[in-house]
């Protein structure tokens, strides 16, 4: 029973355009969310996070939006670059960190 | 600047064999975790530890054991390897779960095949 759902296994976006990765969650009590990025043969690396007291957090080209009423968060990458091609995991944190299944992002030249 | 170190990188086991996946971190982190990643299935939490001497089950603990005798080390033990345990295993650590500025740091993984 997935508590964090990433319903798109993969996404292809043209270089320079906006990439939008989506994540839904089931428990309205979740109050802290994270995004991780993973390249092949490497461990995931932390990208950006958001607390439920905010609805937006921005770090350079990366912005995470949180819609608590819809129990939905999204990661926007703009402009998308070739090095952004990776698998992106959303996760929530309580006393541990639980991940979604991931979305593979392909940036097309 | 080692961070989280996992050994071995690759291993092939026969059904019923046992092995220990090693994980060590040099960041003095209290929290440590073991995840497994199956194709298309994301990262599933196996066990975690909030400090030396304390461990707890995650989402998929069956078939595994852990110990945390020191802050630095968090080995994962497979006693009777089964094909369902074929996966990539990631160890991670963080300073504090309450500190929102303390993300997980991951090792580069151990790829295990059980045949």
């Amino acid at each position: 029973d997935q508590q964090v759902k990433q319903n798109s296994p993969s996404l292809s976006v043209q270089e320079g355009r906006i990439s939008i990765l989506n994540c839904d969650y089931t428990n309205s009590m979740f109050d802290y969310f994270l995004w991780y990025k993973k390249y092949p043969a490497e461990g995931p690396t932390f990208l950006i996070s958001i607390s439920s007291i905010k609805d937006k957090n921005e770090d350079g080209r990366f912005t995470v939006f949180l819609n608590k009423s819809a129990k939905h968060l999204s990661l926007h990458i703009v402009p998308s670059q070739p090095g952004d091609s990776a698998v992106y995991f959303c996760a929530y944190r309580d006393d541990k960190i639980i991940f979604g299944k991931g979305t593979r992002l392909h940036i097309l030249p | 600047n080692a961070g989280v170190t996992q050994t071995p990188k690759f291993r092939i086991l026969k059904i019923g064999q046992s092995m220990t996946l090693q994980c060590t971190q040099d960041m003095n982190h209290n929290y440590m975790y073991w995840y497994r990643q199956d194709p298309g299935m994301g990262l599933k939490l196996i066990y975690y530890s909030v400090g030396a001497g304390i461990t707890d089950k995650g989402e998929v603990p069956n078939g595994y054991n852990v110990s945390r005798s020191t802050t630095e080390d968090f080995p994962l033990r497979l006693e009777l390897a089964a094909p369902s345990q074929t996966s990539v295993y990631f160890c991670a650590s963080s300073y504090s779960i309450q500190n929102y500025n303390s993300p997980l740091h991951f090792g580069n993984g151990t790829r295990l095949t059980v045949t």
Side-chain angles (χ1 to χ4, degrees):
Chain A
D1 184 25
Q2 278 189 275
Q3 300 193 65
V4 181
K5 297 178 184 179
Q6 294 177 259
N7 292 318
S8 299
S10 67
L11 175 69
S12 295
V13 174
Q14 206 75 34
E15 182 179 353
R17 306 294 288 269
I18 184 171
S19 296
I20 300 176
L21 298 106
N22 293 304
C23 182
D24 297 300
Y25 59 96
T26 57
N27 190 334
S28 58
M29 298 299 289
F30 294 165
D31 68 348
Y32 190 68
F33 301 89
L34 310 96
W35 284 93
Y36 279 77
K37 174 179 179 179
K38 185 183 179 305
Y39 293 119
E42 294 182 9
T45 54
F46 172 71
L47 196 54
I48 193 169
S49 62
I50 189 165
S51 164
S52 61
I53 62 172
K54 294 185 173 182
D55 54 17
K56 175 182 173 182
N57 189 26
E58 193 171 353
D59 183 1
R61 296 186 298 112
F62 303 92
T63 303
V64 56
F65 295 92
L66 178 61
N67 181 334
K68 290 183 284 293
S69 61
K71 291 187 277 189
H72 177 83
L73 63 156
S74 60
L75 174 68
H76 292 213
I77 306 172
V78 55
S80 300
Q81 298 176 353
D84 296 331
S85 294
V87 178
Y88 291 79
F89 294 99
C90 76
Y92 77 88
R93 161 182 273 182
D94 48 25
D95 62 340
K96 50 194 177 293
I97 297 183
I98 301 298
F99 289 85
K101 288 186 176 183
T103 296
R104 184 176 300 278
L105 177 64
H106 300 270
I107 303 302
L108 306 170
Chain B
N1 192 18
V4 179
T5 302
Q6 290 183 240
T7 56
K9 286 186 169 52
F10 305 94
R11 184 73 186 267
I12 298 174
L13 281 183
K14 294 191 188 304
I15 294 170
Q17 285 185 320
S18 63
M19 78 163 293
T20 299
L21 283 68
Q22 301 292 346
C23 175
T24 188
Q25 50 92 9
D26 62 0
M27 297 172 282
N28 201 32
H29 285 170
N30 292 320
Y31 291 76
M32 295 189 75
Y33 311 81
W34 274 105
Y35 289 87
R36 59 178 285 174
Q37 185 187 16
D38 302 327
M41 295 301 291
L43 292 153
K44 292 289 190 182
L45 180 64
I46 306 171
Y47 271 95
Y48 65 106
S49 168
V50 301
I54 305 169
T55 62
D56 211 342
K57 294 179 180 178
E59 302 169 275
V60 289
N62 292 344
Y64 306 94
N65 280 300
V66 292
S67 60
R68 185 91 184 273
S69 56
T70 67
T71 300
E72 295 78 20
D73 300 306
F74 190 40
L76 177 72
R77 179 86 178 157
L78 284 71
E79 289 293 351
L80 288 169
S84 61
Q85 292 177 305
T86 294
S87 189
V88 181
Y89 292 83
F90 290 99
C91 178
S93 72
S94 68
Y95 176 69
S96 167
I97 204 78
Q98 284 79 24
N99 184 344
Y100 288 158
N101 291 321
S102 178
L104 286 183
H105 297 263
F106 281 86
N108 282 332
T110 294
R111 183 176 295 275
L112 176 67
T113 301
V114 182
T115 62

